[in-house]
Amino acid sequence: MAVTIEEVRHIANLANLEFSEEELRTFIVQFSNILDHIEQLRQVNTETIEPTYHAVVTEINSENSRRDNTRASFPQQVALMNAPDVEQGQFRVPKVIK
Amino acid sequence: MEFEPIIGLEVHAQLLTRSKIFCGCSTEFGGEPNARTCPVCLGLPGVLPALNREAVSMAVKVALALNCRINRVSVFARKNYFYPDLPKGYQISQYDLPLAEDGEVELLSGERSKAGNIVNYRKKKFGIIRLHLEEDAGKSIHDTGEDTYVNLNRSGVPLIEIVSQPDFRSSQEAYDFLFSLRRLLIYLEVNDGNMEEGSLRCDANVSVRPKGSEKFGTKTEIKNLNSFRFLQKALDYEIQRQIEDLRAGRTVFQETRLWDPEREQTFVMRTKEEAHDYRYFPEPDLPPLEVSGAWSEEIRATIVELPEAKRERLCATFGISDADALLICASRELADYYETAARENRNPVAIARWLTGDFLAFWKRDAIPLSAVRVRPGHLAEMVALIDSGEISGKIAKQIFEEIWTSGEAPAVAAQRLGVRQISDRTALEQIVQSVIANNQKQVAEYQGGRTKLLGFFVGEVMKQTKGQANPQILNELLKKNLG
């Protein structure tokens, strides 16, 4: 299945990633291979088979879900420890809304 | 050509759990920024979400109250986008298999008259497409300085998203739906209804089409309608804007708009081309959620009498108006207050008037919890009884109400202390009337000779003797009778 460079660029864009023209071309081939593989899988008749959403067999239920109890949180300075830029207890980031 | 609007709402409500949806951090509002965070809600690598049972329970409760079908198995999904208040780079939400679907609510909805009053209340049904669970994002602050500041205390607070059918045909219907939904959430004790603090938020989808047409027009989405006033104003503006565009032969574009409360208009936030592609996929860190029939029945058993049912029952039991009942049923505790007062008195309609009148005005003014209001249901019942027996006039009652609002006295006690209690005891009044007549024979003769204006003189004499506390109606009646 053919994938265009624009499509690859769009996906990269959505993932906030930047690539060289050459890298993008590599992805065209890889994406196409993946899609071909999926296309092959689609040949199998799965009409009567329930979709699998997870590899784990057990579902989350009323027994195994977490009880609503609070636990100690990080102190502010620990929470901010890895932040490149901090002001007054907040993460400072470039302006997102003009 | 006449146009009709088609409106659908998306409502986000924070659930009143103690801890966040996927970690044990507190959900409390406010506090030091970023001090209610942990590796899970900060999106640090190597952590796993652990679903809060109570969040599921509350969501199911709402879904049942909205008559939704609970999906026995629902699936969490990743909604991918980049925004600094979303530390993981995705929000855990639900997508193709939500917790619940296909609901319906019936509620009283009115029309706005030219004068701006709500009239013609009618029962209407509105559909619910789906209800799902998700996590809230953090909070970004943009208004100070050059940069954006991020506080992740809210990150991971449990939310339900409720998506209505596009069933509203006026801004008033959308307003009434949100009003009734907010009230329902408060009754169920799953949300505090605080739109200012953002614990309840609303987006709207709006389109218009020629009346009678089957096909929907192009819709726009209006984001962040965070008060009832904004919702109605933004909808009215947007409906008008689209109608004008169509009338002028212009195209309505599919886009996301924001409401500008200062300029009172909506403006474009992003166009269809800029629309997000969220690339949803099943959340690999969480197995599907199973809500068994037994669990959902267990939850159903905890559902209290819902506001609409309560309103209908109060109307039927006490004969009060729809408008009064709507105000009284605004909260469970106010409805309980009313019921207690109404059961202690023979005039529940008058109790409703007082409650929706002076009581609500004072209560709103003081902004105190109902439990701190010093006028108790018994007091209100007693006051209406005093009015009905003629011991105090309606005008005096207002004065007494103001008095007992601060003093917490029983109305009869306050009336006594203020010396405003009327004498309505016919026997007692008649005795005074007769003695006044006996002592003023000259005036009696003149009155009987045709100077009926002298009635005022006799009223004055009795009032002097009763310190102005004689019930004027009964007094007039007794004087006329005794003067012949």
Side-chain angles (χ1 to χ4, degrees):
Chain A
M1 207 170 155
V3 176
T4 64
I5 192 152
E6 279 71 36
E7 283 170 319
V8 178
R9 202 171 271 136
H10 176 63
I11 301 292
N13 214 13
L14 288 173
N16 245 10
L17 296 172
E18 230 175 296
F19 295 106
S20 68
E21 195 79 6
E22 202 191 326
E23 285 169 313
L24 290 175
R25 284 187 201 290
T26 323
F27 287 131
I28 292 184
V29 181
Q30 293 180 349
F31 278 20
S32 299
N33 287 343
I34 294 168
L35 290 174
D36 286 343
H37 180 64
I38 299 294
E39 197 48 47
Q40 207 179 343
L41 290 176
R42 277 171 58 162
Q43 307 299 315
V44 184
N45 184 353
T46 55
E47 228 165 85
T48 56
I49 298 166
E50 269 206 43
T52 306
Y53 282 97
H54 203 275
V56 171
V57 187
T58 322
E59 273 128 5
I60 307 176
N61 57 40
S62 61
E63 295 302 314
N64 61 18
S65 44
R66 184 174 63 81
R67 295 296 179 265
D68 184 24
N69 298 319
T70 53
R71 288 207 319 204
S73 297
F74 274 164
Q76 188 189 68
Q77 70 194 84
V78 176
L80 299 170
M81 220 156 70
N82 293 325
D85 197 359
V86 167
E87 196 181 299
Q88 293 183 348
Q90 317 230 28
F91 295 92
R92 181 157 64 184
V93 298
K95 198 143 201 140
V96 270
I97 282 184
K98 294 132 259 170
Chain B
M1 203 196 307
E2 267 234 62
F3 287 92
E4 78 172 343
I6 311 284
I7 304 162
L9 296 184
E10 275 175 33
V11 179
H12 287 89
Q14 282 181 357
L15 298 175
L16 288 173
T17 54
R18 283 190 289 271
S19 67
K20 292 185 177 179
I21 186 168
F22 297 124
C23 65
C25 289
S26 164
T27 56
E28 221 174 296
F29 183 77
E32 265 202 349
N34 295 304
R36 293 198 182 107
T37 56
C38 74
V40 173
C41 57
L42 285 170
L44 300 186
V47 296
L48 282 176
L51 181 62
N52 185 338
R53 177 184 195 260
E54 193 56 25
V56 178
S57 206
M58 287 181 177
V60 169
K61 204 169 174 182
V62 179
L64 290 172
L66 294 173
N67 304 302
C68 291
R69 183 188 79 239
I70 309 290
N71 285 325
R72 196 187 61 80
V73 174
S74 64
V75 171
F76 287 94
R78 287 190 183 179
K79 179 180 180 178
N80 301 280
Y81 64 96
F82 291 101
Y83 209 75
D85 60 18
L86 191 75
K88 295 193 297 297
Y90 57 87
Q91 177 192 29
I92 303 180
S93 179
Q94 296 191 296
Y95 189 56
D96 52 357
L97 253 183
L99 182 76
E101 291 173 273
D102 295 331
E104 182 182 73
V105 276
E106 202 175 16
L107 55 103
L108 266 197
S109 177
E111 286 163 33
R112 225 168 347 145
S113 72
K114 285 253 151 48
N117 301 318
I118 313 300
V119 293
N120 295 339
Y121 280 112
R122 275 191 298 138
K123 285 215 107 178
K124 291 179 191 168
K125 274 185 185 174
F126 301 110
I128 307 290
I129 297 178
R130 57 186 272 144
L131 182 151
H132 72 244
L133 267 168
E134 60 186 28
E135 58 179 340
D136 208 345
K139 198 166 172 50
S140 327
I141 300 160
H142 312 288
D143 39 348
T144 45
E146 296 280 289
D147 304 302
T148 291
Y149 298 89
V150 181
N151 176 358
L152 294 176
N153 282 351
R154 203 179 66 181
S155 163
V157 168
L159 288 180
I160 44 173
E161 177 175 322
I162 300 163
V163 184
S164 85
Q165 293 281 359
D167 279 352
F168 313 112
R169 294 293 172 272
S170 67
S171 65
Q172 186 61 40
E173 286 186 351
Y175 180 102
D176 289 334
F177 172 80
L178 185 63
F179 177 86
S180 136
L181 181 60
R182 176 177 177 274
R183 194 181 55 175
L184 180 79
L185 297 172
I186 295 172
Y187 265 61
L188 294 174
E189 294 176 328
V190 300
N191 177 266
D192 65 16
N194 192 332
M195 296 184 80
E196 256 165 54
E197 286 179 3
S199 33
L200 187 67
R201 317 196 270 271
C202 180
D203 305 331
N205 286 303
V206 188
S207 66
V208 299
R209 68 179 175 194
K211 227 170 186 160
S213 156
E214 290 284 301
K215 234 181 87 208
F216 286 157
T218 306
K219 69 174 181 191
T220 62
E221 185 183 8
I222 318 175
K223 288 244 175 235
N224 296 328
L225 299 169
N226 293 336
S227 79
F228 283 99
R229 214 165 50 92
F230 288 175
L231 171 72
Q232 199 154 32
K233 281 192 163 187
L235 288 176
D236 285 340
Y237 173 88
E238 183 60 17
I239 292 164
Q240 211 44 48
R241 186 190 71 84
Q242 292 187 14
I243 291 175
E244 276 165 27
D245 272 1
L246 292 179
R247 285 221 171 105
R250 290 188 294 261
T251 318
V252 171
F253 293 103
Q254 190 183 327
E255 58 200 8
T256 305
R257 303 177 72 89
L258 279 174
W259 172 244
D260 180 343
E262 252 119 72
R263 293 161 68 201
E264 301 212 321
Q265 57 189 50
T266 63
F267 63 95
V268 183
M269 180 179 137
R270 58 174 177 250
T271 61
K272 192 186 173 188
E273 285 70 41
E274 298 165 317
H276 287 306
D277 178 345
Y278 294 118
R279 296 159 299 141
Y280 282 96
F281 62 88
E283 168 58 82
D285 287 347
L286 286 164
L289 167 65
E290 184 192 8
V291 179
S292 65
W295 190 11
S296 94
E297 283 318 304
E298 193 185 297
I299 295 164
R300 193 193 293 280
T302 66
I303 296 179
V304 293
E305 183 182 31
L306 298 178
E308 264 308 291
K310 197 185 269 295
R311 189 193 57 72
E312 279 188 357
R313 185 173 58 78
L314 293 187
C315 283
T317 313
F318 299 115
I320 57 178
S321 71
D322 283 342
D324 281 352
L326 265 180
L327 285 168
I328 288 168
C329 292
S331 74
R332 250 162 84 187
E333 48 170 4
L334 188 64
D336 288 348
Y337 183 104
Y338 171 72
E339 243 189 297
T340 313
R343 293 205 184 281
E344 283 183 34
N345 186 284
R346 284 158 194 266
N347 194 348
V349 173
I351 303 255
R353 293 276 147 69
W354 273 94
L355 202 63
T356 57
D358 288 27
F359 187 97
L360 278 190
F362 279 53
W363 189 31
K364 241 182 209 167
R365 182 199 65 193
D366 291 0
I368 48 173
L370 189 56
S371 55
V373 170
R374 305 196 68 187
V375 176
R376 299 321 300 158
H379 293 152
L380 203 57
E382 183 185 311
M383 200 178 69
V384 169
L386 287 174
I387 302 168
D388 287 348
S389 69
E391 282 172 75
I392 54 174
S393 67
K395 211 171 130 196
I396 293 293
K398 274 183 162 314
Q399 190 192 331
I400 290 176
F401 185 79
E402 206 172 335
E403 214 40 54
I404 63 174
W405 184 266
T406 22
S407 72
E409 290 164 291
V413 174
Q416 202 71 47
R417 179 169 62 77
L418 296 168
V420 292
R421 194 163 182 164
Q422 286 181 349
I423 301 167
S424 300
D425 181 334
R426 286 170 175 276
T427 328
L429 272 182
E430 193 146 25
Q431 270 175 16
I432 302 168
V433 165
Q434 280 164 358
S435 85
V436 166
I437 288 177
N439 293 333
N440 295 283
Q441 281 304 313
K442 204 180 115 215
Q443 285 83 353
V444 173
E446 282 180 43
Y447 178 88
Q448 286 166 346
R451 273 192 71 192
T452 48
K453 268 202 268 176
L454 273 173
L455 187 67
F457 163 78
F458 294 108
V459 171
E461 286 303 304
V462 176
M463 284 301 186
K464 246 187 245 168
Q465 293 202 24
T466 58
K467 295 190 188 110
Q469 284 170 259
N471 179 316
Q473 261 170 318
I474 299 176
L475 174 59
N476 267 326
E477 194 188 304
L478 289 175
L479 276 171
K480 280 184 186 156
K481 188 184 112 193
N482 283 280
L483 286 164

